[in-house]
Amino acid sequence: MDPAPANTDSRPPPAHVPLATEPLGILGSLKAARSNLLSILPEIAVRQPMVSGQTGIRWHMIMDPDAIRRVLLENVDNYPKSKTTKNILRPAIGDSLFVAEGAHWRWQRRAAAPVFSQRNMLALAPVMSAAAGRSADRIATTGDRPTDFLQEMVRTTFDVISDVTFSGDGTFDAEAVHRAIDLYIDEAAKVSLLDMLGIPDWVPRPARLFTGKAVGQMKAVADEAIEARRNRGPGGVPDLLDLLMAGEDPETAKAMNTSELRDNLLTFIVAGHETTALTLAWSLYLCAYDPDVQARARAEAQSVMQGDTATGEEAARMPLIRQIVDEALRLYPPAGILSRTAQAPDVLCARDIRAGDTVMIPIYALHRNHMLWDNPNAFDPSRFEDRKSVERYAYLPFGDGPRICIGASFAIQEAVIILATLLARFRFDLVQGRDPEPVMILTLRPDTGVWLTAKAL
C-alpha cells in the first residue's frame, strides 16, 4: 500500500500495548492470555510477515496480506474458526452465523444477508440519530466533570441495538440478556491451559461450567420475545427481528426457527453494540488526543448537519469523521485476533502448515505492521482519504472473505452518526493521568475506561 505522509508529531503515540520481546512458554503464555491476549503477541509480529512457534500446540501468526487472503478467501474451507473460539462462544450464542460452519452457516448467511441491505440500514438510521441525541443530552449534564465515555457509549449503542432489534416494544428484557452474556464472557471466555495444550474438547473447562444458569435464563427470555412477536406480527418500520423472521434462504426457501432466530439475535445484540461502543469510545479518545483533527471533524459535522443530530444521508457526506472511525478501528480493532484451525496441509509464506495447526491472524499486529503502514502507532486519519490505496488484506477490522462481518455497514453508519452528533455539540479533552489501557480478553477494550471532559459549545 502507499505509505501515509510521515508523522512529525513529537508527542508520544496514543495508547498501545508493549508486545512480548522474549518467548513466554506455556505458563507465561497462559498468564498473559488470561489478563491481556495482546500481550502474547511477539514484537516481531509487527515487523515480519509470519511468525511460528509451539506452545503445547503448533501455531502460526500471519501478517502477510497474500497469506491472509488465502486463509479467509481462497482456501477458506480449510480454515474454520478454531475449536477454542467455538468452545467459548457456542454455549451463549449456539450455532449462529458467528460460530456455524459449512452448509449450516451458508444457508443462514443467505437468509440474513438481505436484512443488512443499504435500504434497511438507512431505514434504521433515525433510531441511531435519536440515541445520539439522548446521549448528547446526558453529556450536557456532566459539566466539566471527568466522565467515562466507554460507559456512555455502551449505553448509547445499547439503546440503538435494543430499539432496532425489538422496536422497544417491551416484550424483551434486553438489559438482562446483556448482563447474562457479560457474565458468561467474564467467567468463561478466558483461555484455558487445557486449550493451549490441545486437550480434547470433551474434557471440561472448569471456568465454563458455572455460567449455564444465566445463559439458560437469557435464552428463555429471548425465546419468549420471539414467540410474542410471532403472535403479534410486525409493526410499522420492520426491525431486525421482523426482517429475520421474514427472511429465507433463496436457494432452499428455508427460514430460521425459534432457536436459530434467538441465537442470531443474541449475537447481533451483544456484538452489535459492544463493538460499536468500543469504536466510538476509542474515536472520542483519539479526537481528544489530537485537538486539530477534532476541530476539523467538528467543522465538517456542523457544516453538513441540518439539525441537532446527524441523519443517515448526512453521515455519508462526512468523509473525515468516517476516516476517524476507520483509523480508530485500525489502532484498536474490536476483534484483535482471529483464530483458525487448519484441516489439511497447506503452505503459507513458503512455510508448511499441518492439519491441526492453529493459524492466527493478529489483527492488532497486522494493523501496526511496519511493512504495511508508515508510522503505524501514530493516529493519522488521512491514511483513509483514498481507500483504494489501502491494501485490502492489510486492514481487516471486520474480517474479510465470505465470512466478513454481516453487520459492518450497520456499525459504520451508527458510529459516524453518533460521533458527528457529539463532535458538533462538545469539545472533548483528555483527563490527565487517566489514559486508557488497551486490553483484550474477547474484545479489545480500554481496561480502565475512556475518561474525558466534554465542554458544551
Side-chain angles (χ1 to χ4, degrees), residues 45-332:
V46 298
R47 302 181 185 276
Q48 299 289 335
M50 185 171 181
V51 179
S52 299
Q54 184 161 349
T55 310
I57 57 176
R58 278 169 48 98
W59 55 262
H60 312 274
M61 295 181 184
I62 53 173
M63 288 66 61
D64 176 72
D66 288 337
I68 293 171
R69 181 186 295 109
R70 178 160 180 79
V71 170
L72 296 183
L73 179 65
E74 298 169 352
N75 197 19
V76 64
D77 289 341
N78 191 49
Y79 294 100
K81 290 180 184 287
S82 71
K83 293 179 180 178
T84 299
T85 300
K86 294 177 185 177
N87 289 344
I88 288 171
L89 296 174
R90 183 172 280 125
I93 60 175
D95 279 321
S96 65
L97 277 168
F98 195 82
V99 175
E101 299 286 354
H104 188 53
W105 170 81
R106 282 190 287 273
W107 86 260
Q108 288 189 82
R109 181 79 180 205
R110 291 193 297 263
V115 172
F116 293 90
S117 68
Q118 184 178 10
R119 182 183 67 180
N120 287 336
M121 293 306 97
L122 282 174
L124 296 174
V127 175
M128 302 171 183
S129 300
R134 292 193 294 272
S135 177
D137 291 342
R138 289 192 296 270
I139 293 168
T141 67
T142 64
D144 293 330
R145 296 193 307 275
T147 299
D148 181 2
F149 276 86
L150 173 60
Q151 293 306 313
E152 174 57 36
M153 292 302 96
V154 166
R155 179 173 179 180
T156 303
T157 59
F158 183 70
D159 285 350
V160 172
I161 200 66
S162 298
D163 286 348
V164 302
T165 304
F166 289 99
S167 300
D169 62 7
T171 61
F172 180 73
D173 188 348
E175 189 168 353
V177 169
H178 179 58
R179 285 197 304 268
I181 293 188
D182 265 358
L183 171 65
Y184 184 84
I185 290 173
D186 288 344
E187 295 299 323
K190 295 178 180 178
V191 176
S192 165
L193 177 62
L194 302 179
D195 295 327
M196 299 188 73
L197 293 174
I199 302 301
D201 301 343
W202 52 264
V203 178
R205 274 53 172 172
R208 297 172 198 160
L209 296 178
F210 303 105
T211 55
K213 182 177 180 180
V215 171
Q217 292 173 340
M218 168 189 71
K219 291 183 176 183
V221 169
D223 288 345
E224 290 173 7
I226 291 167
E227 289 306 314
R229 179 63 59 84
R230 288 191 197 279
N231 295 330
R232 190 200 76 184
V237 176
D239 59 23
L240 284 184
L241 178 55
D242 293 327
L243 293 168
L244 278 175
M245 292 178 74
E248 62 179 31
D249 178 4
E251 294 187 11
T252 65
K254 184 176 181 180
M256 294 185 189
N257 60 31
T258 296
S259 64
E260 290 160 345
L261 285 168
R262 171 243 295 153
D263 290 342
N264 281 293
L265 280 171
L266 293 178
T267 300
F268 297 152
I269 288 170
V270 177
H273 94 88
E274 163 90 357
T275 56
T276 310
L278 292 170
T279 301
L280 281 163
W282 287 118
S283 295
L284 288 170
Y285 160 70
L286 291 168
C287 285
Y289 166 86
D290 192 328
D292 290 339
V293 168
Q294 181 180 172
R296 289 191 288 117
R298 176 175 301 109
E300 178 181 79
Q302 291 174 338
S303 69
V304 172
M305 290 169 52
Q306 298 299 305
D308 291 335
T309 60
T311 66
E313 292 80 3
E314 290 169 346
R317 294 188 284 115
M318 291 187 272
L320 176 56
I321 293 177
R322 168 66 190 270
Q323 290 161 27
I324 292 170
V325 170
D326 289 337
E327 179 73 338
L329 285 165
R330 184 187 70 84
L331 289 169
Y332 309 106

